[in-house]
Amino acid sequence: MATLQSLSEASGEIAEEVTGLLEHLSSRSNNYATPERRGLRGALWPCALVLGCVLSLSSCRQVISLPGDYSRLNSRFSDTQPAISGNGRFVAMVTNRGGRQDLALYDIQQKRFVDIPRLHRRNAIVESPSLSRSGRYIAYIVSERGRPEIALYDRITQRRQMLTSGFRGPVRNPSISPDGRYVAFESGRRGQWDIEVFDRGASVQLDLSRGVPEKTNREVLQERQSNGQ
């Protein structure tokens, strides 16, 4: 279910677009400004906001959760590019169950699909998922403006991080390490496909093990130093 925050953000964006369009049409038909016309934006904004709320009701589900048949693993829809977590519990895949190319996560033990809030965006295409040990981290390719980027999603914080923003050259096929710190991928910035590794840093919280957060590399080093090792 969409949250009030996502509904407000989506409706605000649509309201801005509607208001801008109405102002543009008005300015084309009148080349002079009057006090009434200068207040046009203030008069149109409430109407545009209401219209944005109505239109965003259908789009918020695409931002938060996926529409379509997610009652079972195998169906009449196309599911491709499977990736399994290190503990063998979760399977990530690319599916068209919602009428477009989205990412889905299936829990093998519970035999059901798992919700991944705030991962999906409107007008975005995802592909090439990769899972960490327990499935906490999901690395994947996302194309939102026609340019593929490598993104990393944290299922605990429900936040997405873009790893290759500003990266020169195309990228593809990310593969995340079991602990979630490193992401290897194919890079084409030299005019050919090479392998590169992205290091998320020593302070990153590693993947979960037996339900307990593992220590970061920095914490391990500090513990060794304190023990005289």
Side-chain angles (χ1 to χ4, degrees):
M1 180 178 295
T3 61
L4 292 177
Q5 181 180 2
S6 62
L7 175 59
S8 176
E9 292 175 354
S11 60
E13 293 176 359
I14 298 176
E16 286 283 0
E17 296 178 359
V18 173
T19 303
L21 177 60
L22 293 176
E23 287 182 336
H24 175 69
L25 294 176
S26 177
S27 63
R28 290 189 60 184
S29 59
N30 297 276
N31 296 324
Y32 57 91
T34 65
E36 293 80 4
R37 198 163 303 282
R38 285 193 297 268
L40 178 62
R41 182 179 181 85
L44 290 177
W45 176 254
C47 298
L49 183 59
V50 172
L51 178 59
C53 289
V54 174
L55 295 178
S56 64
L57 287 176
S58 61
S59 64
C60 283
R61 287 195 63 185
Q62 296 180 357
V63 176
I64 301 300
S65 58
L66 296 176
D69 180 14
Y70 287 85
S71 59
R72 56 181 180 174
L73 181 59
N74 294 315
S75 66
R76 62 185 179 87
F77 298 95
S78 175
D79 299 325
T80 61
Q81 305 178 31
I84 193 166
S85 61
N87 61 4
R89 176 169 179 175
F90 296 98
V91 175
M93 69 196 75
V94 175
T95 180
N96 67 349
R97 296 177 186 229
R100 62 176 191 175
Q101 187 168 309
D102 281 312
L103 191 149
L105 186 65
Y106 185 78
D107 188 333
I108 298 177
Q109 292 184 7
Q110 299 293 330
K111 297 182 179 180
R112 64 181 180 86
F113 282 92
V114 179
D115 192 21
I116 38 182
R118 305 176 67 179
L119 183 146
H120 302 93
R121 300 293 190 273
R122 290 181 299 171
N123 304 321
I125 299 176
V126 298
E127 58 184 335
S128 303
S130 177
L131 298 178
S132 60
R133 178 184 292 116
S134 70
R136 169 178 178 174
Y137 296 114
I138 307 175
Y140 59 99
I141 294 289
V142 58
S143 302
E144 294 182 343
R145 298 176 179 84
R147 175 182 172 84
E149 299 279 0
I150 297 179
L152 184 135
Y153 176 80
D154 187 342
R155 291 179 54 220
I156 291 183
T157 63
Q158 298 183 0
R159 293 183 178 180
R160 185 185 70 164
Q161 176 187 5
M162 304 302 294
L163 301 183
T164 56
S165 295
F167 189 85
R168 294 183 179 181
V171 294
R172 67 183 185 183
N173 296 330
S175 178
I176 192 168
S177 61
D179 61 7
R181 174 173 174 175
Y182 302 97
V183 178
F185 60 95
E186 297 179 31
S187 165
R189 62 178 174 178
R190 293 200 313 148
Q192 65 179 37
W193 290 112
D194 298 312
I195 303 300
E196 299 197 36
V197 178
F198 183 90
D199 184 355
R200 298 178 59 213
S203 61
V204 67
Q205 190 177 64
L206 303 181
D207 194 1
L208 301 179
S209 177
R210 301 181 182 89
V212 179
E214 291 187 352
K215 298 177 181 178
T216 65
N217 290 357
R218 181 175 300 174
E219 291 172 340
V220 172
L221 292 175
Q222 291 176 350
E223 182 176 325
R224 289 179 178 177
Q225 291 175 357
S226 62
N227 294 334
Q229 298 180 359

